[in-house]
């Protein structure tokens, strides 16, 4: 079974920064694309950023220029550097991995448990 550990959430003032990290573990043969999603109160879960195995990235329009997604393929970790945070960024952030599990014939989508980011004065 694949386990996911998220870290880095917390309370930050507007204009501040946070860095989220997420790492899967378990019987993983390969980690393909990785991403971060968020769900604000009363809202649908939405894509924040995604990074493919080749390094290409995709960002939601409202975070471009402020957030940066990166991955450490050796450690199978994904990070989200969040700068210039706004109250509108307040949400539960979830990491997501598309992984190939050992002895499995298909890829799996794996989600972190979520970490709360609160941007408030």
């Amino acid at each position: 079974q694949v386990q996911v550990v998220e870290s880095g959430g917390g309370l930050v003032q507007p204009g501040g920064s946070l860095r989220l990290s997420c790492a899967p573990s378990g019987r993983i043969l390969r980690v393909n694309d990785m991403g971060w999603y968020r769900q604000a109160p009363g809202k649908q879960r939405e894509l924040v950023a995604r990074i493919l195995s080749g390094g290409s990235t995709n960002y939601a329009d409202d975070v471009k220029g402020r957030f940066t997604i990166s991955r450490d393929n050796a450690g199978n970790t994904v990070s989200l550097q969040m700068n210039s945070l706004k109250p509108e960024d307040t949400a539960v952030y979830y990491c997501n991995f598309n992984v190939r599990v050992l002895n499995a014939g298909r890829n799996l989508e794996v989600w972190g448990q979520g970490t709360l980011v609160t941007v408030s004065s």
Side-chain angles (χ1 to χ4, degrees), residues 1-15:
Q1 184 176 350
V2 177
Q3 302 293 322
V4 177
V5 177
E6 293 190 32
S7 64
L11 174 65
V12 65
Q13 294 186 214

Side-chain angles (χ1 to χ4, degrees), residues 11-96:
L11 174 65
V12 65
Q13 294 186 214
S17 298
L18 281 176
R19 182 175 181 270
L20 308 181
S21 296
C22 198
S25 63
R27 306 185 70 187
I28 299 173
L29 178 64
R30 181 178 66 252
V31 179
N32 301 309
D33 54 322
M34 307 176 175
W36 288 95
Y37 296 74
R38 68 186 180 188
Q39 187 167 16
K43 305 295 184 181
Q44 293 289 107
R45 187 175 299 186
E46 63 179 4
L47 172 70
V48 177
R50 198 153 187 88
I51 184 168
L52 304 182
S53 60
S56 62
T57 57
N58 184 25
Y59 294 92
D61 287 341
D62 59 348
V63 308
K64 283 186 175 180
R66 300 189 298 120
F67 292 7
T68 302
I69 188 171
S70 61
R71 66 185 292 169
D72 179 355
N73 288 329
N76 294 326
T77 61
V78 61
S79 298
L80 185 69
Q81 179 65 45
M82 303 183 292
N83 299 324
S84 302
L85 283 161
K86 303 182 293 185
E88 302 93 285
D89 296 317
T90 296
V92 177
Y93 285 71
Y94 300 87
C95 59
N96 171 266

